[in-house]
Amino acid sequence: MNIEAKKTELMSTFHFRHATKEFDLTRKITNEDFEFILEAGRLSPSSGGNEPWKFLVVQTPEFRKELAPHVTGAVRSLPTASHFVIILARKGLTFDSPYVVEQQTKVKKMPVHVYNSMRDAYAQFYGDLKLDTERALLDWSSKQTYLAMGNMMTAAAHINIDSCPIEGFDLDAVNELLEKKGLLGNNEFGLSVMVAFGYRSKEPVRAKTRRPMQQLVQFV
Ligand SMILES: Cc1cc2nc3c(=O)[nH]c(=O)nc-3n(C[C@H](O)[C@H](O)[C@H](O)COP(=O)(O)O)c2cc1C
């Protein structure tokens, strides 16, 4: 495929994607297609390559019913979505936390002596970025999860699957529910964001609106 055709195809994917409020209950995403979407999340970039996310796929109607009162941004999408994903962010990713050390030395295969030689540089990075409180560290992980969510939504749209990102939830209530179900590990994760996938039940009512480029971009 030549570059112009690639550009046209990708742009049509971006135009296809819209925040789908309600999905067609009769259409389910195949396992193969959902794996494609998950793979786009898995391959997403993250700061330091730490992959600070976990994707909980909520498929049982019972669990969705328990979530519903706390997820007011998904009144119609939660019960109708083919697949509903809660994205968790990893907590406490200091550079000497066991997870980060494992990620860097085992998953990313950085030799341990190289990792240790970079401790001062990591300390400087964390200081410069003000990653100095539990909340700041969780926010930092959460930011990365939004990249994965964006890629998953684009991947879905690319194969004509709809989606809706969801921040309309009660953070404390959902964290409490997840904790009660033992889904936050040993205090390793916190709720970041949610995303529903499926097939639209009807075409969007409004055409896409965006500010003009010149209001958003400044070459300096
Ligand atoms: C992080 C994030 C959270 C959002 N939360 C919700 C939500 O809780 N419920 C909802 O219906 N739409 C939600 N949206 C959808 C936005 O309202 C929508 O993306 C925006 O109005 C632009 O429209 P479009 O996505 O159709 O282009 C969210 C979008 C983002 C990116």
Side-chain angles (χ1 to χ4, degrees), residues 14 17-21 71-74 77 146 149 153 163-169 193-194 204 208-210:
F14 284 120
R17 190 213 56 78
H18 71 288
T20 306
K21 305 296 177 189
V71 190
T72 52
S77 55
Y146 279 62
M149 178 172 74
M153 292 192 297
S163 61
C164 188
I166 291 146
E167 271 182 338
F169 50 72
V193 68
M194 303 176 183
K208 212 177 253 314
T209 55
R210 290 295 189 269

